[in-house]
Amino acid sequence: MNSFKKGILFTTLFASLVFTGCSNDDDSDDLIGNWIKKSSFDGPARSSATSFVIGTYAFVTTGYTGDEFLKDLWTYNSTGDYWEQKADFIGVARSSASGFELNEKGYIGLGYDGTNKLKDFYEYDPSSNTWMQKTDFAGTARYSAVGFQVGGKAYFGTGYDGNYLKDFYQYDPTTDSWSLANGFSGNKRRNATVFVIDDKAYFGTGINNGAYQADFWMFDPATDVWTRKRDIDQDTDDDNDYNDDYVILRSNATSFSMNGLGYVACGESSKSIWEYNPTTDIWLERTPLEGSARTDAIGFSINQRGFVMLGRTGTSYFDDSWEFKPLEEQNDDDN
């Protein structure tokens, strides 16, 4: 059994222990938010895919079916609610890669091909439907890192190269070069998640040597400063009861932002979703995903609309797609 499959087995077993008794499904009727099933993904069901958004289109590529690493590219038309296949990714097939959008082009790099940790890096131009290899990532080869663009600057960071990591690198498309970004004071981790609100990145969750990470951070690209926000675990200080009911700790989650709020969803055996308000630094639980609980899903937002799709539970891989409506009441009859 290769290390990737061993990692899946460990994560599944570990998650079943950690999340037992943590589900709030019994209380979901009291939560706000509704999920609408959208057009199913046209490619093979998969987990650990990578995505980026350009305009009103989301682009989804790479991933793992349980038997095969993938390199096909699909675009989701959010206006028409349908999928189209585009030019295959030109790098080696992989999972657990990282990506971002920058200047209306998509970028994919890093990941794991079943044998090797990777550091190659590629640019996709939607206007010509073509890929071009760019300068390799400057850090170590790794997988399960985060990628994001904020304030016109793009970054890869954290992940796993045989060691859990906490470094961040910035990519400059003008010079096609990477530079080490300003220091991050948080803990090392892989399988974290990040979302962007008002040109600031919010980063958290993930796992380090078997321990879920509770620290949560905001990054401001204008100053290159990381600021620690309130932790996302349950509070043990009786004087501060703002997060007594938090059950946010997880890895392999997905996230997106819309209308000035951030959302972290799923991860391991969870289907819960939590809403973050950057003004109050407070999280609220919303109606859990109406599809199956899942890990290694992808999430993104298009024009203030949030989506979650794909992923897996154990050896079951998904091709379903869901849109989250945070202001609507949950409705059992609309799917």
Side-chain angles (χ1 to χ4, degrees):
M1 182 182 292
N2 65 36
S3 59
F4 183 80
K5 291 183 178 178
K6 288 179 180 177
I8 288 177
L9 178 60
F10 170 79
T11 301
T12 302
L13 293 173
F14 183 68
S16 67
L17 294 174
V18 171
F19 282 90
T20 299
C22 289
S23 172
N24 291 320
D25 287 351
D26 293 342
D27 300 322
S28 61
D29 290 343
D30 299 327
L31 302 176
I32 298 299
N34 191 37
W35 293 89
I36 305 296
K37 195 168 188 179
K38 309 303 289 186
S39 175
S40 295
F41 180 64
D42 280 11
R46 68 192 66 193
S47 69
S48 304
T50 312
S51 67
F52 51 84
V53 172
I54 300 175
T56 60
Y57 295 87
F59 295 81
V60 177
T61 187
T62 66
Y64 184 63
T65 67
D67 297 307
E68 181 183 6
F69 292 89
L70 302 166
K71 58 191 300 182
D72 50 341
L73 172 67
W74 298 82
T75 181
Y76 175 65
N77 183 314
S78 62
T79 303
D81 187 30
Y82 63 86
W83 294 88
E84 292 182 308
Q85 189 166 11
K86 299 295 185 178
D88 283 358
F89 174 64
I90 62 173
V92 65
R94 68 193 65 197
S95 71
S96 303
S98 303
F100 51 74
E101 176 276 335
L102 183 62
N103 299 329
E104 298 188 346
K105 294 181 179 179
Y107 294 86
I108 297 290
L110 314 182
Y112 178 70
D113 67 4
T115 302
N116 304 299
K117 304 173 186 70
L118 305 168
K119 63 185 298 183
D120 51 344
F121 182 62
Y122 302 85
E123 175 190 271
Y124 175 73
D125 185 344
S127 64
S128 60
N129 189 29
T130 57
W131 291 90
M132 179 183 297
Q133 186 165 6
K134 310 300 282 188
T135 299
D136 281 0
F137 175 63
T140 56
R142 67 188 68 189
Y143 61 88
S144 299
V146 296
F148 62 95
Q149 183 262 113
V150 59
K153 300 178 181 179
Y155 302 85
F156 280 163
T158 66
Y160 186 76
D161 68 354
N163 176 38
Y164 293 83
L165 302 166
K166 58 179 289 187
D167 53 346
F168 280 85
Y169 289 80
Q170 181 185 342
Y171 178 67
D172 185 339
T174 303
T175 59
D176 185 26
S177 62
W178 293 89
S179 58
L180 187 64
N182 204 33
F184 169 61
S185 300
N187 298 330
K188 299 186 295 182
R189 72 197 70 202
R190 70 177 187 181
N191 298 113
T193 195
V194 62
F195 53 83
V196 174
I197 302 172
D198 294 333
D199 285 336
K200 295 180 177 62
Y202 293 84
F203 168 82
T205 70
I207 196 166
N208 178 19
N209 291 309
Y212 289 107
Q213 298 304 294
D215 52 335
F216 185 65
W217 296 81
M218 180 192 75
F219 175 66
D220 186 344
T223 58
D224 284 338
V225 171
W226 290 89
T227 301
R228 187 164 184 170
K229 312 301 284 185
R230 287 170 168 163
D231 286 357
I232 59 172
D233 61 344
Q234 291 178 309
D235 187 20
T236 57
D237 184 348
D238 291 339
D239 294 330
N240 296 305
D241 60 0
Y242 70 90
N243 62 347
D244 282 348
D245 296 323
Y246 280 16
V247 191
I248 306 174
L249 293 182
R250 65 194 66 195
S251 71
N252 305 81
T254 190
S255 63
F256 55 87
S257 63
M258 55 180 174
N259 301 315
L261 301 170
Y263 297 87
V264 170
C266 303
E268 281 97 17
S269 61
S270 174
K271 57 166 52 181
S272 68
I273 181 168
W274 288 79
E275 177 186 273
Y276 177 72
N277 187 325
T279 302
T280 60
D281 195 19
I282 295 291
W283 296 82
L284 292 176
E285 188 174 11
R286 297 304 189 189
T287 302
L289 177 69
E290 292 181 40
S292 300
R294 65 195 62 202
T295 186
D296 295 322
I298 58 171
F300 51 79
S301 58
I302 304 176
N303 288 344
Q304 308 304 324
R305 298 169 61 194
F307 299 85
V308 171
M309 59 187 64
L310 310 182
R312 65 174 176 85
T313 294
T315 58
S316 297
Y317 290 76
F318 304 121
D319 60 6
D320 54 344
S321 302
W322 297 85
E323 180 177 358
F324 182 59
K325 304 279 192 176
L327 301 180
E328 295 182 3
E329 293 188 1
Q330 195 270 336
N331 184 348
D332 290 327
D333 299 324
D334 57 6
N335 291 309

